Amino acid sequence: MTDLDRATAFWSAALDLSPADEWSSPDWCTLVGVDGARVLAVMTSASPPEPHPRLHLDLVVDTTAEQDAEVRRLIALGATEVDWDSYPPEPDFVVLADPDGNLSASSTSAGLPPVAPHREQRPYFGSSTKTGISRSVFSWYSA
């Protein structure tokens, strides 16, 4: 990311997080949930975004209607839809780029293991076998 303020504003709004003073610097910002728990950090980088990143923020919603609404919301916040060259036939996800060009995807949760009830309302990091977008559930996905 080349613009820390822009990245902080986008990911805070996208995931309903807030910037924290902890470990803040001109090149780093920790984002926290409403309970103050560290959820995500953004930092500047001189390297360009990867067109096929092995790791990306993976976010999930439950229905195609929620997916459509989430994609529209993220685009309104500054994301752009990417004409990605690796879509499978009949994809159930949409690839988006944040304002700095970093890729993520929007998908429904069909086929994903259920989230434990005590975790449903709180973001968590974990592994997934699918790509997707949600403010309530997210994980790192390794392609």
Side-chain angles (χ1 to χ4, degrees), residues 9-125:
F10 175 79
W11 287 108
S12 293
L15 299 173
D16 197 24
L17 302 174
S18 299
D21 292 331
E22 182 181 38
W23 300 328
S24 66
S25 76
D27 297 319
W28 176 279
C29 183
T30 302
L31 304 178
V32 298
V34 295
D35 62 357
R38 291 181 299 270
V39 176
L40 184 69
V42 292
M43 65 180 275
T44 59
S45 174
S47 61
E50 297 177 30
H52 296 93
R54 291 188 62 186
L55 292 174
H56 63 267
L57 197 57
D58 183 33
L59 307 153
V60 181
V61 294
D62 292 322
T63 68
T64 55
E66 289 174 339
Q67 179 187 29
D68 293 342
E70 191 69 354
V71 167
R72 286 191 307 272
R73 187 181 76 82
L74 292 169
I75 289 171
L77 292 173
T80 55
E81 194 167 341
V82 175
D83 185 20
W84 199 48
D85 61 3
S86 296
Y87 278 116
E90 300 183 41
D92 63 348
F93 61 95
V94 177
V95 176
L96 300 171
D98 71 8
D100 212 38
N102 298 292
L103 301 184
S104 61
S106 174
S107 175
T108 61
S109 61
L112 286 175
V115 176
H118 69 282
R119 303 285 294 242
E120 285 184 85
Q121 300 303 313
R122 183 170 173 204
Y124 73 99
F125 285 100

